Amino acid sequence: FEQRGLLHVHLLVDGREVHVIVVHLGLIHASRERQVQRLGHHIAREVPADAPLIVAGDFNDCGAQLLQPMATLGLSTFDGFHLPTFPSRLPMLELDRIYVRGMQARSAHVPRGRAWSRMSDHLPLIAELEF
């Protein structure tokens, strides 16, 4: 499933179906809130309530104002990890996040270096998750 700003795939991990949704939210906070509401409708319609779920991407949420709206959807991000990804040459802002349901992070990191900063204006956010 794909619509503007959202990609939804299903993966089989250790015999369990995991839903992965990748998003790129807007720059204006009110727009991001509406996008999170639409995301919630999509999740309710397309993802079984007991299925593990990963929602990741560029949330453009440097003030972490979407933590509560995402928690309302049953999604949480990683506690205790400070993971700035933007701008890639000197990352200071945490615009990119990984939210999960039915999983937790074992580790998370942001690779650094010239090669990574040449690929995009955002650095990748890499996490090891477990059920």
Side-chain angles (χ1 to χ4, degrees), residues 69-97:
M70 294 298 283
T72 301
L73 301 178
L75 294 156
S76 61
T77 192
F78 313 143
D79 292 328
F81 293 100
H82 178 63
L83 301 165
T85 57
F86 183 84
S88 60
R89 292 187 187 271
L90 182 61
M92 299 173 64
L93 301 174
E94 296 180 55
L95 299 183
D96 305 281
R97 290 201 171 75

PDB file of all heavy atoms in Angstrom, residues 69-97:
ATOM      1  N   PRO A  69       0.552  12.272  20.455  1.00  0.00           N
ATOM      2  CA  PRO A  69      -0.363  11.751  19.443  1.00  0.00           C
ATOM      3  C   PRO A  69       0.014  10.346  18.961  1.00  0.00           C
ATOM      4  O   PRO A  69      -0.864   9.517  18.711  1.00  0.00           O
ATOM      5  CB  PRO A  69      -0.268  12.776  18.305  1.00  0.00           C
ATOM      6  CG  PRO A  69       0.160  14.035  18.973  1.00  0.00           C
ATOM      7  CD  PRO A  69       1.045  13.603  20.106  1.00  0.00           C
ATOM      8  N   MET A  70       1.299  10.056  18.848  1.00  0.00           N
ATOM      9  CA  MET A  70       1.720   8.712  18.441  1.00  0.00           C
ATOM     10  C   MET A  70       1.442   7.711  19.559  1.00  0.00           C
ATOM     11  O   MET A  70       1.037   6.581  19.293  1.00  0.00           O
ATOM     12  CB  MET A  70       3.196   8.712  18.055  1.00  0.00           C
ATOM     13  CG  MET A  70       3.503   9.529  16.806  1.00  0.00           C
ATOM     14  SD  MET A  70       2.702   8.931  15.310  1.00  0.00           S
ATOM     15  CE  MET A  70       3.749   7.522  14.938  1.00  0.00           C
ATOM     16  N   ALA A  71       1.619   8.109  20.822  1.00  0.00           N
ATOM     17  CA  ALA A  71       1.305   7.233  21.956  1.00  0.00           C
ATOM     18  C   ALA A  71      -0.180   6.905  21.976  1.00  0.00           C
ATOM     19  O   ALA A  71      -0.573   5.785  22.331  1.00  0.00           O
ATOM     20  CB  ALA A  71       1.736   7.880  23.268  1.00  0.00           C
ATOM     21  N   THR A  72      -1.015   7.860  21.577  1.00  0.00           N
ATOM     22  CA  THR A  72      -2.452   7.616  21.495  1.00  0.00           C
ATOM     23  C   THR A  72      -2.755   6.507  20.490  1.00  0.00           C
ATOM     24  O   THR A  72      -3.725   5.766  20.655  1.00  0.00           O
ATOM     25  CB  THR A  72      -3.187   8.913  21.085  1.00  0.00           C
ATOM     26  OG1 THR A  72      -2.896   9.903  22.069  1.00  0.00           O
ATOM     27  CG2 THR A  72      -4.684   8.716  20.995  1.00  0.00           C
ATOM     28  N   LEU A  73      -1.893   6.348  19.487  1.00  0.00           N
ATOM     29  CA  LEU A  73      -2.046   5.272  18.507  1.00  0.00           C
ATOM     30  C   LEU A  73      -1.423   3.963  18.993  1.00  0.00           C
ATOM     31  O   LEU A  73      -1.405   2.985  18.259  1.00  0.00           O
ATOM     32  CB  LEU A  73      -1.411   5.671  17.172  1.00  0.00           C
ATOM     33  CG  LEU A  73      -1.945   6.931  16.499  1.00  0.00           C
ATOM     34  CD1 LEU A  73      -1.180   7.206  15.212  1.00  0.00           C
ATOM     35  CD2 LEU A  73      -3.431   6.809  16.242  1.00  0.00           C
ATOM     36  N   GLY A  74      -0.902   3.965  20.221  1.00  0.00           N
ATOM     37  CA  GLY A  74      -0.273   2.763  20.762  1.00  0.00           C
ATOM     38  C   GLY A  74       1.171   2.595  20.350  1.00  0.00           C
ATOM     39  O   GLY A  74       1.746   1.521  20.487  1.00  0.00           O
ATOM     40  N   LEU A  75       1.793   3.667  19.874  1.00  0.00           N
ATOM     41  CA  LEU A  75       3.164   3.620  19.379  1.00  0.00           C
ATOM     42  C   LEU A  75       4.094   4.396  20.301  1.00  0.00           C
ATOM     43  O   LEU A  75       3.755   5.485  20.754  1.00  0.00           O
ATOM     44  CB  LEU A  75       3.227   4.202  17.970  1.00  0.00           C
ATOM     45  CG  LEU A  75       2.486   3.388  16.921  1.00  0.00           C
ATOM     46  CD1 LEU A  75       2.092   4.261  15.748  1.00  0.00           C
ATOM     47  CD2 LEU A  75       3.344   2.225  16.471  1.00  0.00           C
ATOM     48  N   SER A  76       5.256   3.840  20.544  1.00  0.00           N
ATOM     49  CA  SER A  76       6.241   4.532  21.364  1.00  0.00           C
ATOM     50  C   SER A  76       7.583   4.522  20.648  1.00  0.00           C
ATOM     51  O   SER A  76       7.872   3.642  19.844  1.00  0.00           O
ATOM     52  CB  SER A  76       6.371   3.873  22.738  1.00  0.00           C
ATOM     53  OG  SER A  76       6.793   2.532  22.598  1.00  0.00           O
ATOM     54  N   THR A  77       8.389   5.509  20.981  1.00  0.00           N
ATOM     55  CA  THR A  77       9.731   5.575  20.427  1.00  0.00           C
ATOM     56  C   THR A  77      10.712   5.207  21.529  1.00  0.00           C
ATOM     57  O   THR A  77      10.304   4.868  22.638  1.00  0.00           O
ATOM     58  CB  THR A  77      10.007   6.953  19.797  1.00  0.00           C
ATOM     59  OG1 THR A  77      11.208   6.869  19.027  1.00  0.00           O
ATOM     60  CG2 THR A  77      10.084   8.058  20.812  1.00  0.00           C
ATOM     61  N   PHE A  78      11.965   5.271  21.244  1.00  0.00           N
ATOM     62  CA  PHE A  78      12.983   4.745  22.146  1.00  0.00           C
ATOM     63  C   PHE A  78      13.288   5.708  23.278  1.00  0.00           C
ATOM     64  O   PHE A  78      13.637   6.855  23.032  1.00  0.00           O
ATOM     65  CB  PHE A  78      14.257   4.433  21.378  1.00  0.00           C
ATOM     66  CG  PHE A  78      14.023   3.672  20.105  1.00  0.00           C
ATOM     67  CD1 PHE A  78      14.773   3.932  18.996  1.00  0.00           C
ATOM     68  CD2 PHE A  78      13.046   2.689  20.028  1.00  0.00           C
ATOM     69  CE1 PHE A  78      14.569   3.237  17.815  1.00  0.00           C
ATOM     70  CE2 PHE A  78      12.829   1.985  18.863  1.00  0.00           C
ATOM     71  CZ  PHE A  78      13.591   2.260  17.761  1.00  0.00           C
ATOM     72  N   ASP A  79      13.200   5.223  24.498  1.00  0.00           N
ATOM     73  CA  ASP A  79      13.582   6.007  25.669  1.00  0.00           C
ATOM     74  C   ASP A  79      15.087   5.915  25.862  1.00  0.00           C
ATOM     75  O   ASP A  79      15.691   4.863  25.668  1.00  0.00           O
ATOM     76  CB  ASP A  79      12.886   5.487  26.931  1.00  0.00           C
ATOM     77  CG  ASP A  79      11.394   5.727  26.902  1.00  0.00           C
ATOM     78  OD1 ASP A  79      10.967   6.743  26.320  1.00  0.00           O
ATOM     79  OD2 ASP A  79      10.659   4.904  27.464  1.00  0.00           O
ATOM     80  N   GLY A  80      15.695   7.007  26.245  1.00  0.00           N
ATOM     81  CA  GLY A  80      17.104   6.997  26.597  1.00  0.00           C
ATOM     82  C   GLY A  80      18.062   7.094  25.426  1.00  0.00           C
ATOM     83  O   GLY A  80      19.268   7.049  25.622  1.00  0.00           O
ATOM     84  N   PHE A  81      17.560   7.215  24.207  1.00  0.00           N
ATOM     85  CA  PHE A  81      18.432   7.355  23.044  1.00  0.00           C
ATOM     86  C   PHE A  81      18.333   8.785  22.527  1.00  0.00           C
ATOM     87  O   PHE A  81      17.247   9.273  22.261  1.00  0.00           O
ATOM     88  CB  PHE A  81      18.008   6.407  21.910  1.00  0.00           C
ATOM     89  CG  PHE A  81      18.198   4.953  22.202  1.00  0.00           C
ATOM     90  CD1 PHE A  81      17.118   4.175  22.595  1.00  0.00           C
ATOM     91  CD2 PHE A  81      19.433   4.346  22.064  1.00  0.00           C
ATOM     92  CE1 PHE A  81      17.273   2.822  22.849  1.00  0.00           C
ATOM     93  CE2 PHE A  81      19.602   3.000  22.315  1.00  0.00           C
ATOM     94  CZ  PHE A  81      18.522   2.234  22.709  1.00  0.00           C
ATOM     95  N   HIS A  82      19.450   9.457  22.414  1.00  0.00           N
ATOM     96  CA  HIS A  82      19.498  10.785  21.795  1.00  0.00           C
ATOM     97  C   HIS A  82      20.083  10.566  20.407  1.00  0.00           C
ATOM     98  O   HIS A  82      21.268  10.232  20.265  1.00  0.00           O
ATOM     99  CB  HIS A  82      20.365  11.734  22.621  1.00  0.00           C
ATOM    100  CG  HIS A  82      20.501  13.091  22.017  1.00  0.00           C
ATOM    101  ND1 HIS A  82      19.423  13.938  21.828  1.00  0.00           N
ATOM    102  CD2 HIS A  82      21.583  13.743  21.538  1.00  0.00           C
ATOM    103  CE1 HIS A  82      19.838  15.054  21.265  1.00  0.00           C
ATOM    104  NE2 HIS A  82      21.154  14.958  21.083  1.00  0.00           N
ATOM    105  N   LEU A  83      19.243  10.708  19.364  1.00  0.00           N
ATOM    106  CA  LEU A  83      19.644  10.313  18.016  1.00  0.00           C
ATOM    107  C   LEU A  83      19.406  11.423  16.991  1.00  0.00           C
ATOM    108  O   LEU A  83      18.501  11.339  16.166  1.00  0.00           O
ATOM    109  CB  LEU A  83      18.872   9.048  17.613  1.00  0.00           C
ATOM    110  CG  LEU A  83      19.081   7.846  18.534  1.00  0.00           C
ATOM    111  CD1 LEU A  83      18.030   6.790  18.285  1.00  0.00           C
ATOM    112  CD2 LEU A  83      20.483   7.294  18.348  1.00  0.00           C
ATOM    113  N   PRO A  84      20.209  12.475  17.024  1.00  0.00           N
ATOM    114  CA  PRO A  84      20.053  13.533  16.020  1.00  0.00           C
ATOM    115  C   PRO A  84      20.468  13.035  14.631  1.00  0.00           C
ATOM    116  O   PRO A  84      21.482  12.353  14.483  1.00  0.00           O
ATOM    117  CB  PRO A  84      20.966  14.648  16.512  1.00  0.00           C
ATOM    118  CG  PRO A  84      21.942  13.987  17.407  1.00  0.00           C
ATOM    119  CD  PRO A  84      21.274  12.769  17.968  1.00  0.00           C
ATOM    120  N   THR A  85      19.669  13.376  13.627  1.00  0.00           N
ATOM    121  CA  THR A  85      19.901  12.913  12.261  1.00  0.00           C
ATOM    122  C   THR A  85      19.986  14.049  11.247  1.00  0.00           C
ATOM    123  O   THR A  85      20.266  13.799  10.076  1.00  0.00           O
ATOM    124  CB  THR A  85      18.766  11.975  11.821  1.00  0.00           C
ATOM    125  OG1 THR A  85      17.522  12.668  11.951  1.00  0.00           O
ATOM    126  CG2 THR A  85      18.744  10.699  12.659  1.00  0.00           C
ATOM    127  N   PHE A  86      19.706  15.284  11.679  1.00  0.00           N
ATOM    128  CA  PHE A  86      19.633  16.390  10.732  1.00  0.00           C
ATOM    129  C   PHE A  86      20.301  17.636  11.301  1.00  0.00           C
ATOM    130  O   PHE A  86      20.131  17.918  12.486  1.00  0.00           O
ATOM    131  CB  PHE A  86      18.162  16.711  10.413  1.00  0.00           C
ATOM    132  CG  PHE A  86      17.994  17.790   9.403  1.00  0.00           C
ATOM    133  CD1 PHE A  86      18.057  17.510   8.054  1.00  0.00           C
ATOM    134  CD2 PHE A  86      17.779  19.095   9.798  1.00  0.00           C
ATOM    135  CE1 PHE A  86      17.907  18.515   7.108  1.00  0.00           C
ATOM    136  CE2 PHE A  86      17.625  20.108   8.867  1.00  0.00           C
ATOM    137  CZ  PHE A  86      17.688  19.815   7.513  1.00  0.00           C
ATOM    138  N   PRO A  87      21.009  18.392  10.478  1.00  0.00           N
ATOM    139  CA  PRO A  87      21.448  18.082   9.119  1.00  0.00           C
ATOM    140  C   PRO A  87      22.586  17.066   9.139  1.00  0.00           C
ATOM    141  O   PRO A  87      23.311  16.953  10.130  1.00  0.00           O
ATOM    142  CB  PRO A  87      21.906  19.429   8.579  1.00  0.00           C
ATOM    143  CG  PRO A  87      22.331  20.194   9.795  1.00  0.00           C
ATOM    144  CD  PRO A  87      21.443  19.707  10.914  1.00  0.00           C
ATOM    145  N   SER A  88      22.730  16.347   8.080  1.00  0.00           N
ATOM    146  CA  SER A  88      23.677  15.225   8.081  1.00  0.00           C
ATOM    147  C   SER A  88      25.127  15.651   8.310  1.00  0.00           C
ATOM    148  O   SER A  88      25.897  14.891   8.893  1.00  0.00           O
ATOM    149  CB  SER A  88      23.568  14.436   6.782  1.00  0.00           C
ATOM    150  OG  SER A  88      23.844  15.252   5.664  1.00  0.00           O
ATOM    151  N   ARG A  89      25.489  16.835   7.899  1.00  0.00           N
ATOM    152  CA  ARG A  89      26.891  17.275   8.082  1.00  0.00           C
ATOM    153  C   ARG A  89      27.214  17.607   9.533  1.00  0.00           C
ATOM    154  O   ARG A  89      28.338  17.443   9.971  1.00  0.00           O
ATOM    155  CB  ARG A  89      27.192  18.462   7.193  1.00  0.00           C
ATOM    156  CG  ARG A  89      27.194  18.090   5.735  1.00  0.00           C
ATOM    157  CD  ARG A  89      27.662  19.261   4.888  1.00  0.00           C
ATOM    158  NE  ARG A  89      27.500  18.966   3.487  1.00  0.00           N
ATOM    159  CZ  ARG A  89      28.435  18.374   2.745  1.00  0.00           C
ATOM    160  NH1 ARG A  89      29.567  18.022   3.285  1.00  0.00           N
ATOM    161  NH2 ARG A  89      28.213  18.151   1.475  1.00  0.00           N
ATOM    162  N   LEU A  90      26.243  18.074  10.281  1.00  0.00           N
ATOM    163  CA  LEU A  90      26.416  18.382  11.696  1.00  0.00           C
ATOM    164  C   LEU A  90      25.077  18.128  12.391  1.00  0.00           C
ATOM    165  O   LEU A  90      24.335  19.068  12.682  1.00  0.00           O
ATOM    166  CB  LEU A  90      26.860  19.838  11.884  1.00  0.00           C
ATOM    167  CG  LEU A  90      27.130  20.279  13.318  1.00  0.00           C
ATOM    168  CD1 LEU A  90      28.242  19.458  13.940  1.00  0.00           C
ATOM    169  CD2 LEU A  90      27.452  21.762  13.354  1.00  0.00           C
ATOM    170  N   PRO A  91      24.752  16.860  12.632  1.00  0.00           N
ATOM    171  CA  PRO A  91      23.411  16.525  13.136  1.00  0.00           C
ATOM    172  C   PRO A  91      23.154  17.087  14.535  1.00  0.00           C
ATOM    173  O   PRO A  91      23.907  16.850  15.468  1.00  0.00           O
ATOM    174  CB  PRO A  91      23.398  15.002  13.136  1.00  0.00           C
ATOM    175  CG  PRO A  91      24.828  14.591  13.092  1.00  0.00           C
ATOM    176  CD  PRO A  91      25.594  15.692  12.459  1.00  0.00           C
ATOM    177  N   MET A  92      22.066  17.864  14.625  1.00  0.00           N
ATOM    178  CA  MET A  92      21.675  18.467  15.888  1.00  0.00           C
ATOM    179  C   MET A  92      20.208  18.216  16.215  1.00  0.00           C
ATOM    180  O   MET A  92      19.821  18.289  17.369  1.00  0.00           O
ATOM    181  CB  MET A  92      21.941  19.979  15.837  1.00  0.00           C
ATOM    182  CG  MET A  92      23.411  20.309  15.632  1.00  0.00           C
ATOM    183  SD  MET A  92      23.709  22.063  15.366  1.00  0.00           S
ATOM    184  CE  MET A  92      23.185  22.738  16.908  1.00  0.00           C
ATOM    185  N   LEU A  93      19.376  17.929  15.202  1.00  0.00           N
ATOM    186  CA  LEU A  93      17.942  17.778  15.398  1.00  0.00           C
ATOM    187  C   LEU A  93      17.501  16.335  15.210  1.00  0.00           C
ATOM    188  O   LEU A  93      17.979  15.640  14.316  1.00  0.00           O
ATOM    189  CB  LEU A  93      17.175  18.675  14.411  1.00  0.00           C
ATOM    190  CG  LEU A  93      17.468  20.161  14.501  1.00  0.00           C
ATOM    191  CD1 LEU A  93      16.759  20.904  13.373  1.00  0.00           C
ATOM    192  CD2 LEU A  93      17.085  20.718  15.852  1.00  0.00           C
ATOM    193  N   GLU A  94      16.560  15.917  16.037  1.00  0.00           N
ATOM    194  CA  GLU A  94      15.989  14.573  15.951  1.00  0.00           C
ATOM    195  C   GLU A  94      14.686  14.639  15.148  1.00  0.00           C
ATOM    196  O   GLU A  94      13.596  14.587  15.711  1.00  0.00           O
ATOM    197  CB  GLU A  94      15.728  14.020  17.351  1.00  0.00           C
ATOM    198  CG  GLU A  94      16.992  13.830  18.153  1.00  0.00           C
ATOM    199  CD  GLU A  94      16.717  13.279  19.542  1.00  0.00           C
ATOM    200  OE1 GLU A  94      16.060  12.217  19.641  1.00  0.00           O
ATOM    201  OE2 GLU A  94      17.161  13.912  20.507  1.00  0.00           O
ATOM    202  N   LEU A  95      14.815  14.735  13.836  1.00  0.00           N
ATOM    203  CA  LEU A  95      13.636  14.816  12.972  1.00  0.00           C
ATOM    204  C   LEU A  95      13.137  13.432  12.564  1.00  0.00           C
ATOM    205  O   LEU A  95      11.971  13.254  12.254  1.00  0.00           O
ATOM    206  CB  LEU A  95      13.948  15.625  11.708  1.00  0.00           C
ATOM    207  CG  LEU A  95      14.379  17.073  11.904  1.00  0.00           C
ATOM    208  CD1 LEU A  95      14.569  17.744  10.553  1.00  0.00           C
ATOM    209  CD2 LEU A  95      13.372  17.829  12.751  1.00  0.00           C
ATOM    210  N   ASP A  96      14.044  12.479  12.540  1.00  0.00           N
ATOM    211  CA  ASP A  96      13.722  11.121  12.112  1.00  0.00           C
ATOM    212  C   ASP A  96      13.535  10.245  13.343  1.00  0.00           C
ATOM    213  O   ASP A  96      14.307  10.328  14.292  1.00  0.00           O
ATOM    214  CB  ASP A  96      14.849  10.585  11.235  1.00  0.00           C
ATOM    215  CG  ASP A  96      15.118  11.512  10.062  1.00  0.00           C
ATOM    216  OD1 ASP A  96      14.347  11.443   9.096  1.00  0.00           O
ATOM    217  OD2 ASP A  96      16.069  12.308  10.136  1.00  0.00           O
ATOM    218  N   ARG A  97      12.499   9.404  13.288  1.00  0.00           N
ATOM    219  CA  ARG A  97      12.205   8.566  14.453  1.00  0.00           C
ATOM    220  C   ARG A  97      11.719   7.199  14.005  1.00  0.00           C
ATOM    221  O   ARG A  97      11.251   7.020  12.874  1.00  0.00           O
ATOM    222  CB  ARG A  97      11.136   9.213  15.320  1.00  0.00           C
ATOM    223  CG  ARG A  97      11.626  10.455  16.038  1.00  0.00           C
ATOM    224  CD  ARG A  97      10.760  10.781  17.244  1.00  0.00           C
ATOM    225  NE  ARG A  97      11.350  11.843  18.031  1.00  0.00           N
ATOM    226  CZ  ARG A  97      11.353  13.131  17.686  1.00  0.00           C
ATOM    227  NH1 ARG A  97      10.790  13.514  16.572  1.00  0.00           N
ATOM    228  NH2 ARG A  97      11.910  14.033  18.468  1.00  0.00           N
TER     229      ARG A  97
END
